[in-house]
Amino acid sequence: MHDVRRARIADHPTLVECVQRWWGDSRTPEQARELSLLLPRLFLQHFAGTSLVLEDETGIRAFLVGFHSADHAHEAYIHFVGVDPELRKRGVARRLYTAFFEHAAAAGRTEVRAVTSPRNTGSIAFHRAMGFEPDAGDEEVDGLPVHSDYDGPGQDRVTFRKKLGAPEAGTSGAREPEARAPEARAPEARTSEAREPEPRTLEPFTTRAAVPEDFDAVVAVIDDWWGRPASRDLTRVFVNHFHETSLIAERDGELAGFVIGFLSPSNPREAYIHFTGVAPAWRRTGLGRFLYERFFAMARANGRTVVKALTSPQNDRSIAFHRALGFTPSAPIADYDGPSLDRVTFRREL
């Protein structure tokens, strides 16, 4: 018997192992490992309440990781879905999606978004069978609208939306999806709950809340600012759905720094800083500290009392920066985000 329950933080190591094993028949071990990087622990820490796991006496057999958008009050978003190959074509993914739709509708959401690769024909067919419609893209591939460079250079995506209550196509032959999803195009009106307090300035920079369109400017500079490939660690989903709690600093119209963060849905006391950067030319100007202080002020204004973050144990500069801002670091935690992905976690009381 297969039971569906809400996900738990403790499920994360098993889900990562499942991704690497279940996709092993269609990908090399390195490709399967890279796919699992799309599911860092933060999704189970902060979105467990809207994520689902299907299990039996042998363990986890399928899962759906999703959330209700913070910035778009009518939207829910499905980020990553996996089904044990032994259970595919048995309606398992349909069961998880249907349960997610029901929970989203009960929370007042009227639309669900999802994203997949243009090459993932099984996922495309499944989403269409479930009543999703593809959004218009900037190019067409085999008759399918595609968003080029959606998640960064070379990371093309097909984006879907489904109105809750819309009928499913009901094609029993549709394949189960291989995995995941993101989307959200036009910025919505800002909600007063998440809006940061009256902005202060740090000359010569200007600071503002992010908008979804900022993703392209941010992802374009990450590899250069970091001096290594790092842009794959930030996908568009975080800027699309958490832009009101993220900050952009500019000088003379050029991006100078940013903080991508959100208020945890699962932990009402917590806020989380996911990704932050300052242009090399503007480091040691106080800009990084200023952006963090603006994030702290926004978190306090929304009743949050703790801010969390993490970094690699090798990132001495980040560890020193967070210590200087009053964060308490953990000892390095082995395999925190998956095999060989050790992390140092930070906590700061507001």
Side-chain angles (χ1 to χ4, degrees), residues 133-188:
E133 295 290 338
D135 293 306
D138 60 352
E139 62 180 28
E140 192 171 289
V141 177
D142 297 329
L144 190 70
V146 173
H147 298 266
S148 59
D149 301 329
Y150 183 86
D151 272 332
Q155 303 300 314
D156 301 346
R157 299 288 183 261
V158 178
T159 69
F160 293 99
R161 72 176 69 208
K162 173 185 169 66
K163 296 291 185 182
L164 293 180
E168 299 174 10
T171 55
S172 60
R175 290 173 53 195
E176 303 288 7
E178 281 203 340
R180 68 160 212 144
E183 162 60 348
R185 299 274 307 170
E188 298 283 332

Side-chain angles (χ1 to χ4, degrees), residues 3 105 109-110 119 122 159 191 201 210 222 245 247 259 281 303 337 343:
D3 296 318
R109 306 291 162 143
T110 59
R119 298 182 296 276
T159 69
T191 61
T201 59
I222 289 175
T245 51
L247 296 165
V259 165
D337 272 333
R343 298 289 184 262

Side-chain angles (χ1 to χ4, degrees), residues 110-132:
T110 59
E111 186 171 272
V112 178
R113 298 292 191 101
V115 168
T116 195
S117 163
R119 298 182 296 276
N120 196 340
T121 56
S123 177
I124 292 167
F126 174 83
H127 282 90
R128 282 181 155 163
M130 292 297 295
F132 286 85

Side-chain angles (χ1 to χ4, degrees), residues 32 143 201 220 241 292 338:
T201 59
H241 295 285
Y292 267 58

